[in-house]
Amino acid sequence: MKILVTGFDPFGGEAINPAGEAVKGLPNEINGAEIHKLEIPTVFHKSAETIRQAVKDIQPDVVLAVGQAGGRYEVTPERVAINVDDARIPDNEGNQPIDVAIQEDGESAYFTKLPVKAMVAAMREAGIPAAVSNTAGTFVCNHIMYQVLYMIDKEFPEMTGGFVHVPFIPEQVTDKPGKPSMSLTDITKALEAGIKAVVEQAGKGDIKAVGGATH
């Protein structure tokens, strides 16, 4: 099995993006699967073009994109991506699409087929706070999750894909009182545990576990 894991480059003047750095820290093999790591730009559409080229070159079985969700306490595999860009702030090239469909011929939403509940269970078993998320937002993270699932729907039906959000790291919250953070080591550990679950559940579907939300 080949797994392409992507992380965004630093965003908005930050010196580091924990998503990209955590991906770089992953081993080259997890549970027998080849891990291919790729840094992608925090830019609408360009990020998808970068992944699409890597998919054509590597031909992975799984694409797992990773991004930051500052303010979250947990590592959160995402369940669904929606077909809208509605950027509260510009991306790294100044693009700020508002109420724009990501793909005019795409579905209103795509649900991941990755075993998000098994991933959460594996992360928690590894000692890392984790939860299923039911919203990836409307910025570049939702954009790239949607684009990956759109590629699967239209071009690469044998592939599966999804997205994981990670918290701030401590260096990012020194001037953000009350904001949660997680060490880069623990974020990488969570991603590795989640990928192990993806490999173990291949062909089996997800586990049955509570993972819903009240709001």
Side-chain angles (χ1 to χ4, degrees), residues 4 6 38 40 45-60 63 103 144 147-148 150-152 154-156 159:
L4 174 62
T6 75
L38 176 69
I40 62 174
H45 292 288
K46 186 178 286 187
S47 51
E49 292 165 9
T50 304
I51 288 181
R52 187 174 181 277
Q53 185 58 55
V55 167
K56 290 171 69 177
D57 293 341
I58 298 167
Q59 299 182 9
V63 176
Q103 293 288 352
I144 200 59
Q147 291 276 42
V148 167
Y150 175 85
M151 288 180 216
I152 290 168
K154 302 296 185 182
E155 297 182 75
F156 310 106
M159 195 169 72

Side-chain angles (χ1 to χ4, degrees), residues 8 19 64-70 72-80 119 123 129-131 133-145 162-168 182 187 190-191:
F8 287 107
L64 180 65
V66 182
Q68 177 181 267
R72 293 191 185 182
Y73 288 84
E74 302 146 316
V75 177
T76 50
E78 297 290 344
R79 194 195 301 258
V80 61
M119 293 168 73
M123 292 174 184
S133 170
N134 296 297
T135 175
T138 56
F139 194 50
V140 185
C141 290
N142 174 77
H143 178 92
I144 200 59
M145 181 180 179
F163 192 92
V164 175
H165 264 125
V166 303
F168 283 132
M182 182 179 290
I187 293 173
L191 295 178

Side-chain angles (χ1 to χ4, degrees), residues 4-11 14-28 35-42 51 64-69 75 92 141 144 163-169 172 182-185 187-189 191 195:
L4 174 62
V5 189
T6 75
F8 287 107
D9 63 4
F11 171 68
E14 291 271 9
I16 188 173
N17 188 323
E21 294 304 309
V23 168
K24 291 175 187 175
L26 289 170
N28 294 325
I35 305 302
H36 298 261
K37 296 167 256 186
L38 176 69
E39 185 175 83
I40 62 174
T42 308
I51 288 181
L64 180 65
V66 182
Q68 177 181 267
V75 177
N92 273 350
C141 290
I144 200 59
F163 192 92
V164 175
H165 264 125
V166 303
F168 283 132
I169 55 175
Q172 293 178 294
M182 182 179 290
S183 74
L184 192 58
T185 299
I187 293 173
T188 300
K189 184 179 178 182
L191 295 178
I195 291 168

